Amino acid sequence: MFFTYLRRELRRRRKAALVVASGLALGIALVIVVSSVSSGMSQAQDKVLQSLYGLGTDMTVTKAAAPPGEGDNRRRFEFDAKGDTGAEQSSDRVMVQGFQTLASSTVTQVGGQDGVAQAVGGLSLTVLKVNGEFKPGEITPPQGGGRTGQGGTGGAGGGEVRGGGAAFDVNSYTVFGTDVAAPALGPLTSSKITTGRTFKSTETDAAVAVVDSAYAKEKSLAVGKTVTISGTKFSIVGVATADSGDSAANLYIPLKKAQTLADSKDKVTTVYVKAADSQQIDSVKSAIQKNIPDTTVTTSADLAGTVSGSLSTASDLATTVGKWLSIAVLIAAFLVAGLLTSSAVSRRVREFGTLKALGWKSGRVTRQVVGEALVNGLLGGVLGIALGLGGAYLVTAISPTLTAQLGSTGGGGGLAGGGPMGGGPARQTASKALDIALTAPVSVSTIGIAVGLAVAGGLIAGGFGGWRASRLRPADALRRVE
């Protein structure tokens, strides 16, 4: 009887049911779209962080920045004389990015802290290549035949030096020394080997290199060719393509080789840390800072706080304006559904009064109204999920591009070079800008929330109508009989 009456009443009031369902559908669809876009932005921010640290890294440990004025970051370029014929001069300088290093033993110390699953060291370098030539000037005889020496016009031999000078080109590229014995952690994991292979665990001191695909294209490098770094030839064994944005370095070489090139034996610039439990990252950070002095620990959350640009702006809008807009629309949809249901009950006074006169209890009338409203809510949920999925698919299909600018963390870490003379680690992350294509993935939990909202909307609307129906008396129906 219940379902028979329910089906008949919904068929009779199709327009009213559609209006209620449509209002709920719009609110539910907006929640799905906002939730999926927020999830896509979160994934985009994760890609920004992974492009710096690689997969699996929860935090990094770097040397604490020295106070301003301390340390000598100057670099000298000296050239040997090669005659006076303008022969080409060339010099390479391998420098540690940020000029701040930690002892390799720090990696073991960090790995021994409670809550640390794995710790791997890396050495980030910048190579400056300066080449050019000195052009000697020409000595011209003095005008007027002046004499040399006392009373002469000056200059060597009484003449005048004209022309000459120097013309040098300065090129720079970045090199990262990676621990080949721990390939699952570090910046190289943010790139995918597209040609050749990655390092073997036995190549700890081998002259082999993996080159970034963009740099390989620019310099016409390929697997099997060699690249020279400060006089040492490295055989290219693989080409890696960054999963998103720019790669962490132009070239990757074994850590021991990088330490040799930079004259930084047993030194690293960054320790990459994976926590045993992602929920305990803050406590692990505190333990490292307490037990290992003169270090700066930067977590993914710290780095995410420095992300700016259109990605950050859009993320703020989605999490603030979008969230509150969704809540406002949902509340409005629930209220409208409740009021429409209550209004429909008011128009059915004679019907419900007659049913009560025939023996229906108030609870049965209320259940009938709630059942109708619940069906309307579920119908609105189905429509809302369809609209929400369509909106999320549209966002993913369009894939609007957002820019993420990674600012300074203040502590030094990161691998994005801020230029060869970047002025210390605090500035290394300042120039890391990435273009990220926005997607809007819809999770099962989001669908579950939508279904829950549909049921809640139906129950709220049914609550309004049921309360109104329970107050009707059979006498009201008799007064309306013509």
Side-chain angles (χ1 to χ4, degrees):
M1 180 65 180
F2 173 82
F3 292 104
T4 301
Y5 191 83
L6 177 65
R7 183 173 61 254
R8 183 177 65 82
E9 290 303 316
L10 290 175
R11 187 181 298 116
R12 285 177 54 195
R13 295 173 174 82
R14 287 191 298 267
K15 291 184 179 179
L18 185 59
V19 170
V20 174
S22 298
L24 292 173
L26 289 177
I28 293 170
L30 184 59
V31 170
I32 292 176
V33 172
V34 171
S35 177
S36 60
V37 169
S38 296
S39 177
M41 289 177 181
S42 178
Q43 292 182 7
Q45 288 185 332
D46 290 341
K47 288 181 180 180
V48 175
L49 305 185
Q50 290 173 7
S51 69
L52 290 176
Y53 288 165
L55 298 173
T57 302
D58 294 314
M59 66 190 75
T60 58
V61 180
T62 55
K63 186 176 179 62
E70 291 189 11
D72 184 8
N73 294 343
R74 295 174 297 176
R75 290 294 183 269
R76 294 169 58 87
F77 290 87
E78 298 179 357
F79 299 94
D80 296 330
K82 295 183 180 179
D84 57 355
T85 59
E88 182 177 352
Q89 309 282 333
S90 180
S91 178
D92 286 358
R93 287 294 180 269
V94 180
M95 299 174 294
V96 175
Q97 283 191 5
F99 308 106
Q100 301 284 344
T101 58
L102 295 167
S104 294
S105 58
T106 307
V107 180
T108 304
Q109 287 181 274
V110 172
Q113 301 300 309
D114 291 338
V116 174
Q118 187 179 15
V120 176
L123 186 65
S124 187
L125 307 175
T126 296
V127 181
L128 282 181
K129 184 174 183 61
V130 181
N131 56 68
E133 61 183 17
F134 294 102
K135 295 180 180 180
E138 297 180 356
I139 302 176
T140 59
Q143 296 181 358
R147 296 176 300 162
T148 62
Q150 187 175 5
T153 60
E160 181 179 0
V161 178
R162 294 183 177 180
F168 284 84
D169 292 327
V170 180
N171 297 307
S172 68
Y173 56 93
T174 54
V175 177
F176 181 74
T178 184
D179 188 344
V180 298
L185 203 61
L188 184 55
T189 61
S190 65
S191 297
K192 180 180 180 181
I193 301 296
T194 52
T195 306
R197 62 174 177 86
T198 188
F199 299 109
K200 297 179 181 178
S201 59
T202 57
E203 296 175 327
T204 55
D205 197 24
V208 292
V210 173
V211 59
D212 173 60
S213 58
Y215 187 73
K217 183 178 181 181
E218 177 186 351
K219 301 297 181 181
S220 299
L221 300 175
V223 174
K225 291 188 176 181
T226 60
V227 60
T228 302
I229 306 175
S230 189
T232 302
K233 288 188 176 181
F234 288 80
S235 176
I236 298 175
V237 296
V239 177
T241 302
D243 290 336
S244 62
D246 298 328
S247 63
N250 300 129
L251 293 168
Y252 301 88
I253 62 176
L255 176 58
K256 191 172 182 180
K257 277 294 184 182
Q259 292 170 335
T260 302
L261 290 176
D263 194 21
S264 299
K265 184 179 180 181
D266 296 328
K267 298 290 184 181
V268 296
T269 52
T270 311
V271 181
Y272 301 88
V273 182
K274 181 179 182 179
D277 185 355
S278 60
Q279 303 299 319
Q280 302 296 324
I281 291 178
D282 290 339
S283 61
V284 174
K285 174 182 177 179
S286 299
I288 295 174
Q289 289 178 323
K290 178 181 178 181
N291 299 327
I292 306 177
D294 199 26
T295 58
T296 297
V297 182
T298 305
T299 66
S300 298
D302 297 332
L303 197 59
T306 68
V307 176
S308 60
S310 59
L311 174 59
S312 177
T313 302
S315 180
D316 291 340
L317 287 174
T319 55
T320 54
V321 177
K323 180 179 68 176
W324 290 111
L325 179 61
S326 299
I327 293 175
V329 171
L330 273 177
I331 292 175
F334 288 170
L335 288 176
V336 169
L339 292 174
L340 288 175
T341 303
S342 180
S343 177
V345 169
S346 298
R347 292 193 299 270
R348 298 166 67 185
V349 170
R350 185 171 58 182
E351 173 188 344
F352 290 134
T354 302
L355 290 174
K356 282 192 172 185
L358 293 176
W360 280 38
K361 301 293 185 181
S362 295
R364 185 175 181 181
V365 174
T366 300
R367 288 193 298 272
Q368 192 70 45
V369 174
V370 172
E372 294 175 13
L374 188 58
V375 172
N376 289 336
L378 291 176
L379 179 60
V382 172
L383 293 176
I385 291 173
L387 290 174
L389 291 175
Y393 175 79
L394 183 62
V395 172
T396 303
I398 297 174
S399 298
T401 301
L402 300 176
T403 301
Q405 180 75 35
L406 191 62
S408 170
T409 60
L415 293 171
M421 306 297 286
R427 292 181 55 188
Q428 288 182 36
T429 59
S431 63
K432 188 69 176 182
L434 301 175
D435 290 331
I436 303 293
L438 177 64
T439 60
V442 180
S443 63
V444 176
S445 60
T446 301
I447 300 297
I449 292 174
V451 173
L453 290 174
V455 174
L459 291 176
I460 290 174
F464 272 93
W467 174 80
R468 180 72 178 86
S470 66
R471 295 171 60 87
L472 296 176
R473 296 176 300 172
D476 294 329
L478 298 177
R479 284 197 296 268
R480 298 194 180 194
V481 174
E482 298 179 357

